[in-house]
Amino acid sequence: MMMKMWLPLLFAMWLSAVSGNINNSASMNNNNNNSNSKNNNNNNNNSNQKRPNIIFVFADDYGFNDIGYHGSQISTPTLDKLASDGVKLENYYVQPLCSPTRSQLMSGRYQIHTGLQHRIFRSEQPNGLPLDSPTMADKMKEAGYATHMVGKWHLGFYKDEYLPWNRGFDSYFGKGTSLENPLFLYLAYQSVHEPLQVPEEYERQYTHIQDSKRRSYADNGGARRGGANNFPLRGGKSTLWEGGIHGVAFVTGGRVPAKGTVNRELIHVTDWFPTLVGLAQGSLNGTKPLDGVDQWDTISNGTPSKRTVLLHNIDPMSSNHGVPLYNDTFDTSVRAAIRVGHMKLITGAPGNGSWVPPPGQTQAVPSEPNTSPDKNVWLFNITADPTEHHDLSDQMPGTVRTLLGYLQRFDQTAVPILFPALDKNSNPALHGGVWGPWQ
Ligand SMILES: *[C@@H]1O[C@H](CO)[C@@H](O)[C@H](O)[C@H]1NC(C)=O
Ligand SMILES: *[C@@H]1O[C@H](CO)[C@@H](O)[C@H](O)[C@H]1NC(C)=O
Ligand SMILES: *[C@@H]1O[C@H](CO)[C@@H](O)[C@H](O)[C@H]1NC(C)=O
Ligand SMILES: *[C@@H]1O[C@H](CO)[C@@H](O)[C@H](O)[C@H]1NC(C)=O
Ligand SMILES: *[C@@H]1O[C@H](CO)[C@@H](O)[C@H](O)[C@H]1NC(C)=O
Ligand SMILES: *[C@@H]1O[C@H](CO)[C@@H](O)[C@H](O)[C@H]1NC(C)=O
Ligand SMILES: *[C@@H]1O[C@H](CO)[C@@H](O)[C@H](O)[C@H]1NC(C)=O
């Protein structure tokens, strides 16, 4: 039964956004009454009472313009309600594709530090999230959480060691759970990633949407050809424009003090690792250096983010584009992007950067500026210009050089890219017709 899951899970490829959702109901936490009183008697350790149950919900390809509270034509009343009971994270970033985002969530580390900076895991590739550093689930389990996962893994499966139950999860899809310990549940949806499928009763609610892909999608972001929409942001899935990386996220549940608030502090998917392990009162010992920072103060109290720098990616394996602008700093023909404070620098070939309104929407759409096909440097003030209309690279060469310096320093810490050739031995026909570990 488990193996039947492989096909849909592992053929699903792209992602552009993520929702995080924490319900830390106090009542669910009183499950450890006995050990709590023991702890209280011994050393006043109330940690189990304080530690929340955590449900982390993660959805592929969720477009920026596909959540009701962003003014979408798609209605998401349940998500809107949950979000309005909690904290909406409006300055939240992910990676432009599925396995890169997942690898950063589970490792707390940038792609350049895990070797996964190029594209995604293909099913036929003997590859996976490196085993040299514990996952977030390993640390939650070590902190005493019951750890469970349901859904799309996409962090490698060619050897047993790479599967969820060997990466810190007590169970993967199904299997009874115990209520002895607080819960960490990672619920990673395949939808709204393609293929688009929806029961007719739900599709009927969206007959006003002309575009059939978007109509199916509506009930299930990111991948425009899959019906998602990121307007007014620029670009979409697999690009380094904001439409590919600026995600939808909120945190909700009993333990969130800042109910009904909007948080505009810079937060990244790598930040969940230290944030959630911190909530679990776990330890970060034994991990390779994390790129994520603990954002719980920011999320719960609105204090300024501890993060001012965010490396979106450096991918030297993508084809170089144009000629380097300078000889003595980062090579601008390499595909990369970085955020420092308000400013974002993009180099190389970031992908299609057009602005695409939702199908059927009749509003003036800006067209892509007519620039040289070899152009390979863009600079934006994302705070002032979140839709990336005003390239400042010519006006602010000093800032361009400063941000190139950041890229150069990050590049010096990059590990070699892991992107092995496809392996014919992966063929499910050799393994009883199902995808599974083959080495
Ligand atoms: C979270 O738990 C609280 C308390 O049990 C409950 O009222 C609320 O509906 C829950 N929220 C979600 C999203 O399950
Ligand atoms: C925990 O203990 C308190 C006090 O003894 C009791 O009222 C409560 O029902 C217990 N809760 C659970 C979940 O067992
Ligand atoms: C409290 O107890 C838990 C479980 O026994 C343990 O993991 C944690 O480190 C303790 N915390 C403190 C502050 O003593
Ligand atoms: C981290 O610390 C915990 C608790 O002190 C310990 O059980 C665990 O083995 C340590 N992990 C590593 C990888 O050192
Ligand atoms: C970079 O170096 C090459 C070869 O030394 C030189 O021809 C070119 O003018 C230099 N470009 C810049 C922008 O300095
Ligand atoms: C970029 O995307 C737009 C909108 O989907 C499309 O019209 C345009 O042809 C694309 N440009 C390129 C170069 O593929
Ligand atoms: C970027 O825009 C913000 C908001 O308008 C402004 O406060 C800040 O000074 C700008 N930064 C730069 C470097 O232009």
Side-chain angles (χ1 to χ4, degrees):
M1 200 176 87
M2 182 81 67
M3 297 311 276
K4 275 194 188 142
M5 291 297 290
W6 285 122
L7 254 171
L9 294 185
L10 293 166
F11 269 115
M13 289 299 184
W14 294 280
L15 170 141
S16 82
V18 168
S19 324
N21 172 359
I22 298 178
N23 193 345
N24 26 32
S25 72
S27 61
M28 283 171 77
N29 269 333
N30 285 339
N31 48 39
N32 219 350
N33 246 6
N34 290 340
S35 60
N36 271 344
S37 30
K38 248 184 256 151
N39 282 339
N40 288 341
N41 292 341
N42 293 345
N43 58 5
N44 260 348
N45 182 335
N46 265 335
S47 69
N48 271 354
Q49 246 169 9
K50 290 193 193 124
R51 298 194 298 169
N53 292 302
I54 297 174
I55 301 177
F56 193 94
V57 182
F58 187 104
D60 262 8
D61 283 6
Y62 206 104
F64 189 79
N65 189 14
D66 298 334
I67 187 109
Y69 64 79
H70 281 174
S72 181
Q73 67 187 151
I74 293 171
S75 64
T76 55
T78 306
L79 295 176
D80 294 356
K81 169 76 171 64
L82 288 171
S84 64
D85 287 346
V87 186
K88 293 172 185 159
L89 306 181
E90 291 299 329
N91 199 357
Y92 174 65
Y93 284 82
V94 293
Q95 300 306 116
L97 291 165
C98 21
S99 43
T101 297
R102 282 154 207 267
S103 73
Q104 301 208 16
L105 172 69
M106 279 298 146
S107 68
R109 308 178 72 223
Y110 290 144
Q111 282 163 268
I112 62 163
H113 294 147
T114 54
L116 303 177
Q117 48 274 65
H118 189 61
R119 300 199 184 152
I120 57 167
F121 296 125
R122 303 279 305 270
S123 304
E124 305 91 333
Q125 268 179 326
N127 206 5
L129 178 65
L131 304 169
D132 59 1
S133 194
T135 65
M136 175 160 72
D138 285 322
K139 301 309 280 184
M140 297 300 281
K141 187 168 173 171
E142 185 186 280
Y145 271 61
T147 56
H148 301 284
M149 169 171 181
V150 176
K152 174 178 164 182
W153 175 240
H154 207 178
L155 290 175
F157 70 104
Y158 80 108
K159 284 183 178 166
D160 246 14
E161 297 95 287
Y162 290 90
L163 295 172
W165 48 82
N166 290 320
R167 304 304 308 263
F169 287 102
D170 295 333
S171 83
Y172 175 58
F173 185 64
K175 204 168 148 189
T177 81
S178 110
L179 279 180
E180 291 290 298
N181 301 88
L183 171 73
F184 173 56
L185 172 64
Y186 172 41
L187 180 56
Y189 284 105
Q190 142 79 18
S191 292
V192 291
H193 196 294
E194 296 175 282
L196 301 174
Q197 292 159 327
V198 63
E200 208 188 315
E201 58 175 308
Y202 290 112
E203 183 162 1
R204 240 182 275 130
Q205 299 172 12
Y206 288 98
T207 48
H208 61 283
I209 300 182
Q210 294 285 311
D211 182 77
S212 67
K213 277 187 187 165
R214 190 150 174 81
R215 199 164 59 236
S216 313
Y217 174 95
D219 224 82
N220 268 331
R224 295 194 312 234
R225 66 186 177 85
N229 188 264
N230 301 296
F231 198 73
L233 301 184
R234 185 171 184 178
K237 175 170 179 162
S238 83
T239 76
L240 291 171
W241 304 102
E242 291 290 293
I245 57 179
H246 192 157
V248 174
F250 60 85
V251 178
T252 189
R255 199 70 72 77
V256 179
K259 294 197 188 312
T261 59
V262 173
N263 182 303
R264 299 192 192 282
E265 295 295 319
L266 187 63
I267 298 176
H268 184 237
V269 64
T270 51
D271 298 339
W272 294 118
F273 189 127
T275 303
L276 299 190
V277 174
L279 276 173
Q281 297 175 14
S283 135
L284 295 173
N285 61 344
T287 62
K288 291 207 155 184
L290 297 185
D291 295 308
V293 294
D294 186 336
Q295 297 281 21
W296 187 243
D297 278 349
T298 303
I299 293 168
S300 57
N301 298 318
T303 54
S305 172
K306 289 183 200 143
R307 173 185 283 287
T308 53
V309 176
L310 169 46
L311 178 70
H312 295 305
N313 199 19
I314 301 173
D315 179 8
M317 200 179 257
S318 282
S319 311
N320 287 36
H321 185 74
V323 293
L325 183 58
Y326 301 108
N327 283 347
D328 58 348
T329 183
F330 187 77
D331 177 350
T332 60
S333 71
V334 172
R335 178 180 157 103
I338 190 162
R339 173 83 172 265
V340 178
H342 300 294
M343 309 305 287
K344 174 185 178 188
L345 182 81
I346 307 177
T347 63
N352 189 323
S354 54
W355 292 268
V356 183
Q361 189 166 314
T362 53
Q363 74 186 83
V365 185
S367 56
E368 251 190 289
N370 197 6
T371 52
S372 141
D374 282 342
K375 181 174 170 62
N376 62 15
V377 179
W378 293 260
L379 179 73
F380 299 99
N381 182 334
I382 295 295
T383 313
D385 177 27
T387 57
E388 296 171 304
H389 280 92
H390 307 292
D391 174 19
L392 302 169
S393 59
D394 287 340
Q395 281 154 258
M396 303 179 75
T399 306
V400 168
R401 277 192 66 91
T402 303
L403 268 63
L404 287 172
Y406 275 89
L407 281 175
Q408 167 113 324
R409 286 189 295 277
F410 270 115
D411 202 27
Q412 283 158 0
T413 69
V415 300
I417 297 181
L418 301 168
F419 199 72
L422 306 190
D423 182 348
K424 287 198 186 96
N425 293 325
S426 62
N427 189 344
L430 305 172
H431 313 283
V434 290
W435 286 100
W438 72 89
Q439 278 189 25

